[in-house]
Amino acid sequence: MSKDNKNINLRNRLIRLMRKEKWQSISIPLVAIIMSFIAAAIVILLIGKNPLQAFCNLFQGAGILPKPSYAGYKSMLTDFMSLLNAMTPLLFASLAVAVAFRAGLFNIGVAGQMLVSGFFATIIVGYSGLDAIIAKPLVLLIGIIAGGLMGGLVGWLKYKFNINEVVSTIMLNYIAQYIISFFIQMYYINPVSRQSQYISEAARLTLVNVEVGDLKMDIPLGFVLAIITAILIKYVMDKTVVGFDIKAVGSNRNAAKYSGINVGRNTVLAMVISGSLAGLAGVTYYLGYYASIQPKVLSDIGFDSIAVALLGNSHPIGVIFSSSLISIIDQGSTYMSSQAGIRQEISSVIVGLILLFSACGVYMKYKISCMSEKVEERKESKS
């Protein structure tokens, strides 16, 4: 068999593999990631740097690969735990966006829902002096309730007055940002850091500087909960009536209404679930990854989660892998910059390219379908 024929056969096998719908949730995001890294490598080459070294430094900074040397009390394990600590709120936030996507909604208000949840948990529990065994579960409960109420408000406005959720969430983001900033600066400001007063260690969802052997590491208590939540969301969406109704509403609201599904109730419910997940992202961010709130600032996680949800194809398990990838890029960018001499903003370029190629997922499906049809036609003509 000639080399050209081997290449054609390999291409045809790849097309047949990617044509299968059950694999497209994995294959298309994987292609998007590969294409984005190739594009990023070209950018790095254009600025005169070695892309292989840059990507190696990126993974070293995130704790995926070992560094040549470490500071005292640090190792690859401590870097990896820091990665999980940063990934936890991003995973919750991305699940929030993914659930809304399943219902045909665009929850761009995750950052505001995070801020509201984090603020209420901070002033109610963070400054209360409660014991850890009470404070930590209470922080999670407040995050779920505050985020769920805010998300439910958006769903109710959509159902009752047909107010586009993008408009309402953007407006609520600004409302939350400036009202909470006012209260922090008036009552809870730290005169040194110019952020809110630091919360008690008992209320914090990350155990900081825990000594394990000769290491000191940060242990995110919410990470395991985030993984369990992703699995639970998958089960609800795939195996329950509630999940079927939400997906039906997201696929076609008119058809769902005609079949007897309560569109309004499921719209509100989807946004309550999405808001609750955003609330968990808020408390694991403001009372976990950080221990205070910066006034007038919305977390970038609320917006990065959109890219993560798109990359994960709005699938809970896919979101776990996509959030880990984006976290690796974010956490490793500082070390990459210092070792490879590449500006830290290159990491944002990589994330942007991933988002760009992920947004082309529908086009990729179309092209794969067209190419597979041509392959079948050639088979038939030969036979």
Side-chain angles (χ1 to χ4, degrees):
M1 185 181 289
S2 67
K3 188 176 180 181
D4 289 340
N5 288 335
K6 286 182 179 179
N7 290 335
I8 292 171
N9 288 335
L10 178 62
R11 186 193 66 180
N12 292 344
R13 287 174 186 172
L14 289 173
I15 291 171
R16 284 196 295 269
L17 179 64
M18 293 186 68
R19 185 181 60 178
K20 296 179 180 179
E21 289 189 8
K22 69 176 183 178
W23 293 110
Q24 284 184 348
S25 60
I26 299 172
S27 60
I28 290 178
L30 187 61
V31 169
I33 292 168
I34 293 170
M35 291 174 69
S36 63
F37 271 93
I38 292 172
I42 294 171
V43 172
I44 293 170
L45 282 171
L46 288 174
I47 61 178
K49 302 295 181 180
N50 185 342
L52 293 178
Q53 181 190 351
F55 295 149
C56 180
N57 294 148
L58 193 70
F59 287 107
Q60 286 176 327
I64 305 300
L65 295 176
K67 296 176 182 176
S69 61
Y70 291 91
Y73 303 106
K74 298 297 180 183
S75 73
M76 180 178 167
L77 179 60
T78 59
D79 289 345
F80 183 71
M81 294 304 292
S82 297
L83 170 68
L84 297 186
N85 193 22
M87 176 183 164
T88 301
L90 179 61
L91 178 52
F92 276 124
S94 304
L95 288 171
V97 176
V99 169
F101 277 157
R102 287 294 186 97
L105 301 167
F106 190 12
N107 185 4
I108 204 172
V110 168
Q113 292 152 19
M114 287 175 61
L115 183 59
V116 169
S117 302
F119 177 71
F120 278 110
T122 295
I123 62 175
I124 295 172
V125 184
Y127 302 146
S128 66
L130 291 171
D131 291 336
I133 196 169
I134 299 174
K136 294 183 191 301
L138 192 56
V139 164
L140 294 172
L141 182 61
I142 291 171
I144 292 170
I145 293 172
L149 288 174
M150 196 169 177
L153 174 62
V154 173
W156 181 76
L157 291 173
K158 171 78 173 181
Y159 161 63
K160 195 71 176 177
F161 303 105
N162 199 29
I163 297 175
N164 188 284
E165 71 277 3
V166 174
V167 176
S168 60
T169 49
I170 289 174
M171 294 300 102
L172 286 171
N173 277 349
Y174 283 112
I175 292 168
Q177 180 181 356
Y178 288 107
I179 289 178
I180 290 174
S181 174
F182 168 80
F183 279 103
I184 289 174
Q185 291 179 334
M186 287 295 294
Y187 303 107
Y188 306 107
I189 196 72
N190 185 309
V192 177
S193 66
R194 303 308 299 172
Q195 299 186 31
S196 67
Q197 294 287 352
Y198 292 105
I199 62 170
S200 65
E201 287 298 320
R204 193 165 181 183
L205 297 176
T206 297
L207 303 180
V208 182
N209 289 328
V210 177
E211 292 190 16
V212 179
D214 58 348
L215 302 175
K216 289 184 178 179
M217 63 182 69
D218 298 340
I219 301 177
L221 300 178
F223 178 74
V224 175
L225 177 61
I227 299 297
I228 293 171
T229 301
I231 296 171
L232 182 62
I233 291 296
K234 182 183 184 304
Y235 176 80
V236 169
M237 289 296 169
D238 294 346
K239 304 294 184 180
T240 67
V241 174
V242 171
F244 175 81
D245 288 351
I246 288 174
K247 290 191 291 184
V249 170
S251 298
N252 191 316
R253 301 175 73 86
N254 292 329
K257 185 177 180 180
Y258 181 78
S259 64
I261 295 173
N262 190 325
V263 173
R265 184 187 66 190
N266 283 283
T267 298
V268 175
L269 178 60
M271 283 306 301
V272 167
I273 296 172
S274 179
S276 297
L277 292 168
L280 287 171
V283 294
T284 52
Y285 182 75
Y286 293 111
L287 291 91
Y289 188 65
Y290 290 108
S292 62
I293 301 173
Q294 185 177 355
K296 292 185 180 179
V297 175
L298 290 172
S299 169
D300 290 339
I301 286 177
F303 305 102
D304 291 345
S305 59
I306 299 170
V308 174
L310 285 171
L311 179 60
N313 205 25
S314 298
H315 190 284
I317 306 303
V319 166
I320 294 175
F321 290 102
S322 59
S323 60
S324 64
L325 175 64
I326 300 299
S327 298
I328 288 168
I329 294 170
D330 183 58
Q331 289 295 108
S333 60
T334 302
Y335 187 77
M336 178 187 71
S337 177
S338 64
Q339 295 297 309
I342 298 172
R343 291 185 64 86
Q344 199 169 345
E345 287 76 10
I346 288 294
S347 63
S348 299
V349 172
I350 297 173
V351 173
L353 289 169
I354 290 173
L355 176 59
L356 176 63
F357 286 116
S358 298
C360 298
V362 175
Y363 177 72
M364 288 183 189
K365 288 181 182 179
Y366 168 74
K367 290 299 291 182
I368 289 168
S369 177
C370 292
M371 292 170 72
S372 63
E373 286 177 3
K374 289 181 181 179
V375 169
E376 294 299 329
E377 286 175 1
R378 286 172 187 167
K379 273 188 174 183
E380 290 177 1
S381 62
K382 287 180 180 180
S383 61

